[in-house]
Amino acid sequence: MDIFKLFSKKSSSKDVAKDRLKLVLIHDRANVSTQLLEILKTDIIKVITNYMEIDEAELDIQISQATNDGGVNVPMLVANIPILSLKRDRHS
């Protein structure tokens, strides 16, 4: 899901509806506001793009539930971020 697709003129209404549905499902699973998820996603993109070029169209960030070693359900952040290339070391 690409946050920027929601505002792109090239997105079909089907794609926009699909992205919005994903946000609603994520919200329901994690009991986190949609706004917080969008802010989180934007911040993750900003940090990662400092170090590598990514394919934002294929980026997928979700919050789901997992069971920890103690058998307690906890929220889990899952990110699939296709890396196109690494940027040159900025600290050299």
Side-chain angles (χ1 to χ4, degrees), residues 27-85:
H27 171 267
D28 287 346
R29 289 184 194 152
N31 198 19
V32 176
S33 76
T34 304
Q35 291 172 329
L36 178 61
L37 287 175
E38 286 301 318
I39 292 167
L40 178 64
K41 184 174 181 178
T42 300
D43 288 348
I44 289 170
I45 290 170
K46 283 180 187 176
V47 171
I48 291 174
T49 56
N50 286 330
Y51 302 96
M52 55 195 71
E53 184 181 348
I54 62 172
D55 183 355
E56 292 184 30
E58 295 298 320
L59 179 107
D60 183 29
I61 297 176
Q62 298 179 18
I63 296 179
S64 61
Q65 295 289 323
T67 305
N68 67 12
D69 293 338
V72 177
N73 284 341
V74 294
M76 176 177 63
L77 179 68
V78 179
N80 290 309
I81 306 168
I83 299 170
L84 300 174
S85 66

